[in-house]
């Protein structure tokens, strides 16, 4: 238990450090956002007035204290280009990215676990070999190209969904989830292949151990031996990968949003990078950092639940 | 026996696939069938023909030439990224792993935080700070890949620092620098080679991803990622514009990962 508390405290510290680094990085960038907004032809009076409203005339440490105080209250300042509070700007886009990430994570587990069990059960069969080759190829497909292929085959070819026909979750949750299945699949596929090969390696090692034979001798069916006995032990090394995959999927969803025209964090992050709208970029990076750190924390806790031996090592 | 043949199979297929993409890329660095920047309205979205084996893009530029130049860019950025990552990562990993202590602790906490972020996201942050373009992209990816190499190299140095050959080298009067870079370093190469291959693949995918997002290689320079993003508009009429660069990317990554499998 103390191990988990320690982890939570260090996660909070990490988030704080990341927030500081992000602010420092963006305040070191040369160039004046006021000039960028008004253009080089602007009168000095107008520039000074804008700097005043943007809070740029204060020293960097003073702005930092103000920014951090705001972030703690969930206030990320005002966007340069949209002239509205950043928090309001990203509040309804954050859930889209989070749902897409979780959707792909669930798909990854739902596909890779049964696939690995089938392949490991019929080791060296034609079915096993086919799955192996397919997984090796899938592993090399980057999600954004996977997304294009999915659009081409299932969207334009088979007409199973309308490319670009995104429906907001607040309008129609069912159609939202139906549309999000395809981008989630594009993100999940390469991860499915990697999770598959790790699980497969674990299962084929575990199934040769004595306890597996004992489980059979006690009258368990093959399905029970794999799902109830082998899977848990084969999962332990794979959980670290699941954690990294979850973090990777957050990055993946930012890219895949562009393929499927989904208005999530990714699109606003990209336009803000191009417009040099730093308050928005800072806010989104901090949000993503929190997502990554929290997902790492959850994986760590899961690890302890599945493999209690780890506690004695603390 | 049977096992050996399987390893050979990975090596042969990996070499062939790598050659299919790298040879045209290497040629593309010095020569392409057509100029890659000249636009030609009469060849706009032209279908595949003898003159243009993959057809032409929306500006009438020869797709084969664009793919050759794009692969070359991707290849160079991938190599450069791995180079920056390995050199700086090895240096930091060697120093922290060999000496240990408080500096090592602080560095490793920082490194673990960096490592827990997907490299694509790190690179995205660096591009946001430094601006987009080929050189910026190279540094952004290079920096983003340092933590993974620091991890690998440091682990090797921690293991090696108490080994007998290191102790005897020290007794023989070798300086710390000599022990680190003459005695221990060659022993890390075997593990490094594998992570270099994996790292190269990740760098290629990250470059393509960032260019796809429009913040990597800037037009009119060709890049596989950028070509994929431009091709989306014409996906219905000319799917080839997306499939050719996409498949090139897959073959490149698949070839290298098969080569990496052989090493295991």
């Amino acid at each position: 238990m103390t191990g988990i508390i320690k982890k939570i405290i260090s996660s909070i510290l990490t988030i704080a450090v990341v927030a500081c680094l992000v602010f420092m990085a963006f305040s070191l960038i040369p160039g004046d956002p006021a000039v960028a907004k008004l253009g080089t032809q602007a009168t000095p009076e107008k520039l000074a007035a804008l700097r005043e409203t943007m809070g740029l005339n204060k020293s960097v440490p003073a702005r930092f204290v103000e920014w951090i105080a705001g972030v703690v209250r969930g206030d990320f300042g005002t966007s340069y280009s949209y002239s509205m509070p950043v928090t309001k700007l990203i509040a309804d886009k954050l859930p889209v990215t989070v749902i897409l990430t979780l959707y792909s994570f669930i798909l990854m587990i739902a596909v890779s676990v049964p696939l690995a069990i089938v392949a490991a059960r019929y080791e060296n069969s034609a079915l096993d070999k086919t799955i192996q080759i397919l997984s090796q190829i899938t592993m090399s497909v980057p999600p954004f190209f996977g997304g294009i292929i999915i659009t081409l085959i299932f969207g334009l070819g088979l007409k199973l969904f309308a490319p670009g026909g995104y429906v907001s979750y607040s309008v129609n949750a069912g159609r939202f989830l139906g549309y999000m299945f395809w981008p989630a699949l594009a993100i999940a596929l390469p991860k499915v292949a990697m999770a598959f090969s790790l699980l497969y390696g674990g299962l084929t090692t575990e199934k040769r151990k004595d306890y597996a034979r004992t489980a059979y001798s006690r009258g368990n069916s093959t399905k029970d031996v794999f799902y109830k006995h082998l899977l848990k032990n084969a999962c332990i090394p794979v959980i670290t990968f699941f954690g990294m995959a979850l973090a990777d999927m957050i990055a993946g969803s930012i890219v895949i949003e562009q393929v499927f025209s989904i208005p999530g964090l990714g699109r606003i992050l990209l336009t803000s990078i191009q417009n040099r709208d730093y308050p928005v970029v800072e806010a989104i990076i901090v949000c993503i950092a929190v997502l990554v750190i929290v997902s790492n924390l959850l994986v760590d806790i899961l690890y302890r639940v599945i493999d209690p031996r780890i506690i004695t090592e603390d | 026996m049977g096992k050996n043949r399987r390893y050979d199979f990975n090596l042969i297929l990996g070499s062939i696939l790598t050659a299919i993409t790298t040879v045209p890329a290497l040629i593309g660095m010095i020569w392409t069938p057509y100029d890659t920047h000249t636009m030609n309205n009469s060849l706009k979205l032209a279908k595949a023909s003898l003159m243009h084996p993959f057809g032409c893009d929306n500006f009438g530029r020869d797709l084969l030439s664009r793919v050759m130049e794009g692969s070359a860019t991707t290849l160079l950025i991938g190599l450069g990224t791995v180079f920056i990552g390995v050199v700086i990562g090895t240096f930091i990993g060697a120093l922290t792993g060999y000496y240990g202590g408080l500096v090592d602790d602080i560095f490793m906490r920082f490194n673990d935080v960096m490592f827990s972020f997907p490299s694509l996201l790190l690179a995205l942050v660096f591009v946001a700070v430094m601006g987009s373009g080929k050189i910026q992209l190279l540094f952004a990816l290079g920096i983003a890949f340092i933590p993974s190499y620091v991890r690998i190299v440091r682990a090797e140095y921690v293991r090696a620092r108490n080994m007998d050959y290191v102790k005897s080298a020290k007794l023989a009067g070798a300086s710390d620098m000599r022990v680190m870079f003459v005695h221990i370093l060659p022993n890390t190469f075997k593990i490094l080679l594998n992570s270099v291959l994996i790292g190269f693949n990740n760098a290629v995918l990250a470059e393509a991803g960032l260019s796809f997002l429009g913040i990597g290689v800037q037009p009119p320079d060709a890049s596989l990622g950028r070509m994929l993003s431009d091709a989306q508009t014409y996906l219905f009429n000319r799917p080839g514009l997306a499939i050719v660069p996409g498949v090139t990317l897959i073959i490149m990554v698949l070839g290298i990962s098969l080569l990496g499998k052989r090493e295991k």
Side-chain angles (χ1 to χ4, degrees), chain B residues 198-223:
Chain B
I198 297 170
F200 176 78
N201 269 351
N202 289 337
V204 163
L205 291 177
E207 185 276 325
L210 289 176
S211 299
F212 179 81
L213 293 177
I215 52 175
V217 176
Q218 295 300 309
D221 288 339
S223 137

Short mmCIF file of all heavy atoms in Angstrom, two decimals, chain B residues 198-223:
data_model
loop_
_atom_site.label_atom_id
_atom_site.label_comp_id
_atom_site.label_asym_id
_atom_site.label_seq_id
_atom_site.Cartn_x
_atom_site.Cartn_y
_atom_site.Cartn_z
N ILE B 198 15.70 -1.01 -34.00
CA ILE B 198 14.36 -0.65 -33.53
C ILE B 198 14.20 0.87 -33.54
O ILE B 198 13.19 1.41 -33.99
CB ILE B 198 14.10 -1.21 -32.13
CG1 ILE B 198 14.15 -2.74 -32.17
CG2 ILE B 198 12.74 -0.75 -31.59
CD1 ILE B 198 14.15 -3.39 -30.82
N GLY B 199 15.25 1.56 -33.06
CA GLY B 199 15.20 3.02 -33.00
C GLY B 199 15.07 3.64 -34.38
O GLY B 199 14.33 4.61 -34.57
N PHE B 200 15.76 3.06 -35.37
CA PHE B 200 15.66 3.57 -36.73
C PHE B 200 14.23 3.47 -37.23
O PHE B 200 13.68 4.43 -37.79
CB PHE B 200 16.61 2.79 -37.65
CG PHE B 200 16.51 3.19 -39.09
CD1 PHE B 200 17.11 4.34 -39.55
CD2 PHE B 200 15.78 2.41 -39.98
CE1 PHE B 200 16.98 4.72 -40.88
CE2 PHE B 200 15.65 2.79 -41.31
CZ PHE B 200 16.25 3.94 -41.75
N ASN B 201 13.60 2.31 -36.97
CA ASN B 201 12.20 2.15 -37.38
C ASN B 201 11.30 3.16 -36.72
O ASN B 201 10.44 3.77 -37.36
CB ASN B 201 11.73 0.74 -37.02
CG ASN B 201 11.95 -0.23 -38.15
OD1 ASN B 201 12.30 0.20 -39.25
ND2 ASN B 201 11.78 -1.49 -37.90
N ASN B 202 11.50 3.33 -35.40
CA ASN B 202 10.66 4.30 -34.69
C ASN B 202 10.89 5.70 -35.23
O ASN B 202 9.95 6.50 -35.34
CB ASN B 202 10.96 4.27 -33.19
CG ASN B 202 10.43 3.01 -32.55
OD1 ASN B 202 9.51 2.39 -33.08
ND2 ASN B 202 11.02 2.62 -31.44
N ALA B 203 12.14 6.02 -35.57
CA ALA B 203 12.45 7.36 -36.09
C ALA B 203 11.78 7.56 -37.45
O ALA B 203 11.21 8.62 -37.72
CB ALA B 203 13.95 7.53 -36.21
N VAL B 204 11.82 6.52 -38.30
CA VAL B 204 11.18 6.62 -39.61
C VAL B 204 9.68 6.86 -39.45
O VAL B 204 9.10 7.74 -40.09
CB VAL B 204 11.44 5.32 -40.42
CG1 VAL B 204 10.50 5.21 -41.59
CG2 VAL B 204 12.88 5.30 -40.90
N LEU B 205 9.06 6.10 -38.53
CA LEU B 205 7.62 6.25 -38.33
C LEU B 205 7.29 7.61 -37.72
O LEU B 205 6.30 8.24 -38.10
CB LEU B 205 7.09 5.13 -37.43
CG LEU B 205 7.11 3.74 -38.06
CD1 LEU B 205 6.65 2.68 -37.09
CD2 LEU B 205 6.23 3.71 -39.31
N ALA B 206 8.14 8.08 -36.80
CA ALA B 206 7.88 9.38 -36.17
C ALA B 206 8.04 10.51 -37.20
O ALA B 206 7.24 11.45 -37.24
CB ALA B 206 8.82 9.60 -34.99
N GLU B 207 9.05 10.39 -38.05
CA GLU B 207 9.25 11.41 -39.09
C GLU B 207 8.04 11.44 -40.01
O GLU B 207 7.49 12.51 -40.30
CB GLU B 207 10.52 11.10 -39.89
CG GLU B 207 10.90 12.14 -40.93
CD GLU B 207 10.17 11.99 -42.25
OE1 GLU B 207 9.90 10.85 -42.68
OE2 GLU B 207 9.85 13.02 -42.85
N ALA B 208 7.62 10.25 -40.44
CA ALA B 208 6.46 10.19 -41.33
C ALA B 208 5.23 10.76 -40.63
O ALA B 208 4.46 11.51 -41.24
CB ALA B 208 6.21 8.75 -41.76
N GLY B 209 5.07 10.45 -39.34
CA GLY B 209 3.93 10.94 -38.59
C GLY B 209 3.92 12.46 -38.50
O GLY B 209 2.91 13.10 -38.77
N LEU B 210 5.07 13.05 -38.16
CA LEU B 210 5.14 14.51 -38.03
C LEU B 210 4.95 15.20 -39.37
O LEU B 210 4.28 16.23 -39.47
CB LEU B 210 6.47 14.93 -37.39
CG LEU B 210 6.62 14.60 -35.91
CD1 LEU B 210 7.99 14.97 -35.41
CD2 LEU B 210 5.56 15.32 -35.09
N SER B 211 5.55 14.63 -40.43
CA SER B 211 5.38 15.22 -41.75
C SER B 211 3.94 15.07 -42.22
O SER B 211 3.39 15.95 -42.88
CB SER B 211 6.32 14.57 -42.77
OG SER B 211 7.65 14.77 -42.39
N PHE B 212 3.32 13.96 -41.84
CA PHE B 212 1.91 13.75 -42.15
C PHE B 212 1.06 14.84 -41.50
O PHE B 212 0.11 15.34 -42.09
CB PHE B 212 1.48 12.37 -41.65
CG PHE B 212 0.02 12.06 -41.89
CD1 PHE B 212 -0.40 11.62 -43.13
CD2 PHE B 212 -0.91 12.22 -40.89
CE1 PHE B 212 -1.73 11.35 -43.36
CE2 PHE B 212 -2.24 11.95 -41.11
CZ PHE B 212 -2.65 11.51 -42.35
N LEU B 213 1.44 15.22 -40.27
CA LEU B 213 0.70 16.26 -39.56
C LEU B 213 1.00 17.65 -40.10
O LEU B 213 0.38 18.62 -39.70
CB LEU B 213 1.04 16.22 -38.07
CG LEU B 213 0.58 14.98 -37.31
CD1 LEU B 213 1.04 15.04 -35.87
CD2 LEU B 213 -0.92 14.86 -37.36
N GLY B 214 1.98 17.74 -41.01
CA GLY B 214 2.29 19.03 -41.62
C GLY B 214 3.28 19.85 -40.82
O GLY B 214 3.50 21.01 -41.13
N ILE B 215 3.90 19.26 -39.79
CA ILE B 215 4.88 20.04 -39.03
C ILE B 215 6.28 19.44 -39.15
O ILE B 215 7.17 19.78 -38.39
CB ILE B 215 4.48 20.16 -37.55
CG1 ILE B 215 4.21 18.79 -36.96
CG2 ILE B 215 3.28 21.05 -37.38
CD1 ILE B 215 3.95 18.85 -35.49
N GLY B 216 6.47 18.55 -40.13
CA GLY B 216 7.80 17.98 -40.33
C GLY B 216 8.44 18.62 -41.54
O GLY B 216 8.61 19.82 -41.60
N VAL B 217 8.76 17.77 -42.54
CA VAL B 217 9.35 18.24 -43.78
C VAL B 217 8.34 19.16 -44.48
O VAL B 217 7.17 18.83 -44.60
CB VAL B 217 9.71 17.04 -44.68
CG1 VAL B 217 10.25 17.51 -46.01
CG2 VAL B 217 10.73 16.16 -43.98
N GLN B 218 8.79 20.32 -44.92
CA GLN B 218 7.87 21.30 -45.51
C GLN B 218 7.87 21.22 -47.04
O GLN B 218 8.89 20.96 -47.65
CB GLN B 218 8.28 22.71 -45.08
CG GLN B 218 8.14 22.94 -43.58
CD GLN B 218 6.71 22.76 -43.09
OE1 GLN B 218 5.78 23.33 -43.63
NE2 GLN B 218 6.53 21.93 -42.07
N PRO B 219 6.71 21.44 -47.68
CA PRO B 219 6.65 21.46 -49.13
C PRO B 219 7.50 22.61 -49.68
O PRO B 219 7.67 23.59 -48.97
CB PRO B 219 5.16 21.67 -49.43
CG PRO B 219 4.56 22.19 -48.18
CD PRO B 219 5.43 21.74 -47.04
N PRO B 220 8.05 22.51 -50.89
CA PRO B 220 7.82 21.45 -51.87
C PRO B 220 8.69 20.21 -51.67
O PRO B 220 8.63 19.31 -52.49
CB PRO B 220 8.20 22.14 -53.18
CG PRO B 220 9.29 23.09 -52.81
CD PRO B 220 8.93 23.57 -51.43
N ASP B 221 9.52 20.13 -50.60
CA ASP B 221 10.33 18.93 -50.40
C ASP B 221 9.43 17.71 -50.22
O ASP B 221 8.41 17.80 -49.53
CB ASP B 221 11.22 19.09 -49.18
CG ASP B 221 12.36 20.08 -49.42
OD1 ASP B 221 12.67 20.31 -50.62
OD2 ASP B 221 12.90 20.61 -48.45
N ALA B 222 9.83 16.59 -50.81
CA ALA B 222 9.02 15.39 -50.71
C ALA B 222 9.35 14.64 -49.43
O ALA B 222 10.49 14.61 -48.99
CB ALA B 222 9.27 14.49 -51.92
N SER B 223 8.33 14.08 -48.81
CA SER B 223 8.50 13.19 -47.67
C SER B 223 7.35 12.22 -47.71
O SER B 223 6.24 12.57 -48.11
CB SER B 223 8.50 14.00 -46.38
OG SER B 223 7.73 13.34 -45.41
#
